[in-house]
Amino acid sequence: MKVLQDSLPRAVVARKTRKLGMAIAVTLVMLTGWAIPAGAQDKKPTRTVIRAGRVLDVRTGSLRTNQAIVIDGDKITQIVAAADAPANGVDVTIDLPDATLLPGLIDAHTHLTFELSSLGYSGLGVSTAREALHGARNARITLEAGFTTVRNVGARDYSDIALRDAINDGDVVGPRILASGPALGITGGHCDENLLPPAFHLQGGGVADGVEAVQHKVREVIKYGADVIKICATGGVLSKGDDPNASQYTLEEMKAIVADAHRLGRKVAAHAHGAEGVRWASEAGVDSIEHGHFMDDAAIATLKKNGTYLVPTLFLTEYMQQHLDNSGVPEFSRKKMREVAAAAPVNVKKAFAAGVKIAFGTDAAVYPHGLNAGEFHVYVKLGMTPLAAIQTATLNASDLLGWKDRVGTIEPGKWADIIAVDGDPTKDVTILEHVKFVMKGGTVYKNEYTK
């Protein structure tokens, strides 16, 4: 009892001391100005004004000269003639008088957490944590190459979702990411783990068989943060024991996947090489076909009829033809890669000519990250105009991602995602392989013009 009696006066003293301390602190704030000054509350945030020699309107292909782009926070607010640019004393001005500005580019098919060396047997020794760190490096490289938005379609153990969140929180530098987490696939298919012997009983994180199981898997990956659902409708190239021409998921399974994904507000991207798999996936209602390298005329007609986007990933075939023998890829994959490299340009060119909707995508990881813009010149070689090729990575890709109100053009109200190059990319699309200025959300991440 005496202990309690002794403690009561001390508690009273402590309370009084805390109250006195608070009173002193408030007084000091008032006297010294620690509080936010009234003038600061009225002060407008600093704006950025980019004065550019040329700005490309990706809708029309016109190059507007001597323009000023006014940015407030992370959004574009005005585009006016440079002479009419509003001025105030706190604007940050970026002068790019000899540059051509374009909207930040969009790659709808990346694997930021993967590298070619991690896709074969050596990848079995790479942990998910290490892959996430690879992703942090590759994200910066991709952003500095001019790609301010990407769709990451396939990663182990949700490492791409962790990367997306780290970028959004400002912990890591990289593009905006729509991430899929593990890709859905059948047992033993392209999206399973087929390199280890039976004793390991190892299965890919997205494996699901049957209508009920695929419905559950869609809900599971959404639960853990997926922005988009990636599925494997056919076999693949860099996987063991499967055939790129062979269909994997049935039409009924894919319809169930699409129904759940769309009801829950997610789009569906379907890896599909073979003609039957392309047709089934399109008829099931997927939003995009990834690759489509073994399409036939009926598959192309189905894509056109349904308005399904094709994401062709063509530069990888050109790159791998040059580097396949030194790539470290197992022979079973080299054989399939040679077959794909021969068929893809022929079939995708037919899709271009048929008017199939095309969105830009690269499959970066099959070749080094940062070379994404190599995809453009392949499109032009197969019949696109340079402007049409640019539109696949701006207007079309933003539409596919469901973000056309945010990215894809330099317009008021859009995010201030802007890149700059020398020359006129509507005449020579390879200029986009040498991006010299990158802004994402009003923040400059690269500016070689100041050197």
Side-chain angles (χ1 to χ4, degrees):
M1 179 63 73
K2 186 176 186 306
V3 172
L4 180 60
Q5 290 173 341
D6 290 343
S7 68
L8 286 173
R10 287 198 296 272
V12 172
V13 170
R15 283 198 300 272
K16 290 182 177 180
T17 302
R18 284 196 295 270
K19 289 181 180 179
L20 179 61
M22 286 295 293
I24 293 172
V26 170
T27 302
L28 285 171
V29 165
M30 295 174 65
L31 291 176
T32 63
W34 289 358
I36 299 172
Q41 295 176 18
D42 297 331
K43 187 177 180 180
K44 293 182 179 179
T46 301
R47 299 181 311 178
T48 300
V49 178
I50 304 177
R51 298 178 184 274
R54 297 168 299 279
V55 177
L56 177 63
D57 182 342
V58 295
R59 296 186 190 278
T60 65
S62 65
L63 282 170
R64 294 173 291 178
T65 58
N66 299 318
Q67 298 289 294
I69 301 171
V70 182
I71 298 158
D72 200 337
D74 62 354
K75 299 281 182 64
I76 298 168
T77 58
Q78 283 182 283
I79 304 172
V80 296
D84 298 331
N88 66 50
V90 295
D91 284 345
V92 173
T93 301
I94 300 172
D95 289 314
L96 302 173
D98 300 317
T100 300
L101 270 58
L102 298 87
L105 301 173
I106 304 165
D107 189 334
H109 191 120
T110 64
H111 298 283
L112 291 176
T113 61
F114 292 158
E115 298 182 332
L116 187 58
S117 61
S118 69
L119 298 176
Y121 283 101
S122 60
L124 295 173
V126 180
S127 68
T128 303
R130 188 70 183 94
E131 286 185 343
L133 292 171
H134 284 160
R137 180 194 61 213
N138 296 332
R140 178 185 284 273
I141 291 170
T142 302
L143 178 63
E144 291 179 351
F147 289 83
T148 54
T149 301
V150 304
R151 193 177 60 163
N152 203 82
V153 281
R156 295 187 183 101
D157 298 323
Y158 301 93
S159 55
D160 59 341
I161 289 170
L163 177 62
R164 174 202 67 196
D165 294 346
I167 291 171
N168 290 345
D169 290 343
D171 299 329
V172 174
V173 170
R176 307 177 191 282
I177 299 177
L178 280 83
S180 73
L184 277 63
I186 67 169
T187 298
H190 178 58
C191 293
D192 199 359
E193 178 53 79
N194 300 329
L195 296 178
L196 289 171
F200 286 88
H201 298 290
L202 184 64
Q203 195 171 59
V207 169
D209 301 302
V211 169
E212 185 176 347
V214 297
Q215 288 176 321
H216 174 79
K217 186 60 68 172
V218 168
R219 297 167 191 179
E220 180 180 278
V221 296
I222 290 174
K223 171 184 177 180
Y224 293 120
D227 301 303
V228 59
I229 305 301
K230 164 75 178 294
I231 69 171
C232 289
T234 74
V237 177
L238 296 176
S239 45
K240 184 179 180 181
D242 60 341
D243 179 357
N245 270 301
S247 300
Q248 293 191 163
Y249 275 130
T250 65
L251 179 58
E252 289 71 25
E253 286 170 321
M254 287 192 283
K255 284 182 176 179
I257 289 169
V258 171
D260 264 40
H262 285 178
R263 189 179 68 255
L264 296 172
R266 305 308 194 274
K267 294 193 175 190
V268 180
H271 160 104
H273 285 288
E276 182 179 66
V278 170
R279 290 197 310 272
W280 284 2
S282 179
E283 294 289 18
V286 303
D287 299 279
S288 64
I289 295 294
E290 314 298 303
H291 316 304
H293 295 159
F294 291 121
M295 294 180 298
D296 58 14
D297 291 346
I300 292 169
T302 302
L303 296 182
K304 174 68 173 176
K305 171 177 69 76
N306 294 331
T308 310
Y309 269 102
L310 174 65
V311 181
T313 66
L314 288 173
F315 179 58
L316 70 89
T317 63
E318 181 178 292
Y319 181 91
M320 291 303 288
Q321 281 180 308
Q322 298 171 10
H323 300 89
L324 189 60
D325 291 339
N326 301 316
S327 65
V329 170
E331 182 54 37
F332 61 80
S333 290
R334 292 187 192 189
K335 181 178 181 296
K336 291 192 281 185
M337 182 61 77
R338 294 185 188 101
E339 294 169 353
V340 162
V346 176
N347 295 323
V348 174
K349 183 176 182 178
K350 290 181 180 178
F352 288 0
V356 171
K357 294 195 298 185
I358 306 296
F360 184 101
T362 64
D363 216 2
V366 178
Y367 60 87
H369 296 275
L371 302 183
N372 311 54
E375 187 84 6
F376 288 111
H377 80 260
V378 186
Y379 294 179
V380 172
K381 187 162 61 175
L382 295 182
M384 279 194 188
T385 66
L387 176 61
I390 292 167
Q391 288 171 337
T392 68
T394 52
L395 298 174
N396 297 9
S398 66
D399 180 50
L400 171 59
L401 270 55
W403 277 12
K404 64 181 180 180
D405 60 331
R406 309 175 202 182
V407 296
T409 57
I410 298 177
E411 293 176 329
K414 301 286 184 75
W415 280 322
D417 295 355
I418 298 167
I419 65 170
V421 295
D422 293 333
D424 182 355
T426 66
K427 291 186 171 63
D428 179 6
V429 79
T430 63
I431 288 171
L432 296 173
E433 297 172 26
H434 309 285
V435 171
K436 300 180 74 171
F437 173 91
V438 178
M439 169 183 279
K440 187 191 90 172
T443 298
V444 176
Y445 290 92
K446 179 180 182 179
N447 189 355
E448 294 183 359
Y449 292 104
T450 60
K451 293 181 180 178

